[in-house]
Amino acid sequence: QSRSSTGDLSIRPTKRQKQQTKNPQLPIDLNMKDEEKSYLFDEVKNQVDYYLSDKNLKSDKFYRGKITAGKDGWFAMSFIMSAPRMKSKLMSVDEVVVALKNSKSVETKHSDDG
């Protein structure tokens, strides 16, 4: 079952230990080569890592406010997905979650993950 809605997906900067996320199913793009997909996933991971980095959060009142307002620093993934640079990547939520799987800077969870 693919989860393409951001309604129940949250994100936060990693505190100590990264939680495992469920493996989402991805739409298969038969036209994209593996190296192109890998490059795009790396770009997305790097962009989100930057958005939630200590360096950026010093001056980014928007994301800092979302983190401080959310329980334990969690906030809706929809705020990440609505960023212009993220929209330009044309990736699904599930693809972004996969791109962030190896991030040491952020973690994701579905609301039913606890």
Side-chain angles (χ1 to χ4, degrees):
Q1 177 182 353
S2 179
R3 299 179 184 188
S4 58
S5 170
T6 61
D8 65 345
L9 187 63
S10 299
I11 188 167
R12 73 174 179 187
T14 301
K15 286 188 176 183
R16 296 221 172 198
Q17 199 171 17
K18 187 173 176 172
Q19 295 179 353
Q20 293 293 328
T21 59
K22 295 179 181 174
N23 291 331
Q25 297 173 355
L26 299 178
I28 298 173
D29 183 353
L30 299 177
N31 297 320
M32 186 177 272
K33 296 177 182 175
D34 285 343
E35 52 277 359
E36 292 173 324
K37 189 176 288 188
S38 177
Y39 178 77
L40 182 58
F41 278 33
D42 284 345
E43 274 189 339
V44 167
K45 182 184 95 47
N46 292 338
Q47 187 63 52
V48 176
D49 283 349
Y50 173 74
Y51 286 151
L52 301 181
S53 69
D54 289 339
K55 179 180 179 180
N56 185 56
L57 291 173
K58 287 179 183 176
S59 61
D60 190 322
K61 292 178 183 178
F62 178 77
Y63 286 122
R64 190 172 63 236
K66 298 298 176 198
I67 292 166
T68 57
K71 183 179 179 187
D72 294 325
W74 292 104
F75 65 97
M77 181 68 136
S78 59
F79 294 112
I80 295 289
M81 296 302 293
S82 65
R85 288 189 181 181
M86 293 300 291
K87 284 182 179 180
S88 72
K89 304 298 183 200
L90 303 175
M91 291 180 76
S92 71
V93 174
D94 288 341
E95 289 170 321
V96 172
V97 169
V98 170
L100 296 174
K101 185 177 178 183
N102 295 320
S103 172
K104 292 178 174 61
S105 303
V106 301
E107 56 188 324
T108 61
K109 74 170 187 171
H110 285 276
S111 58
D112 60 352
D113 288 347

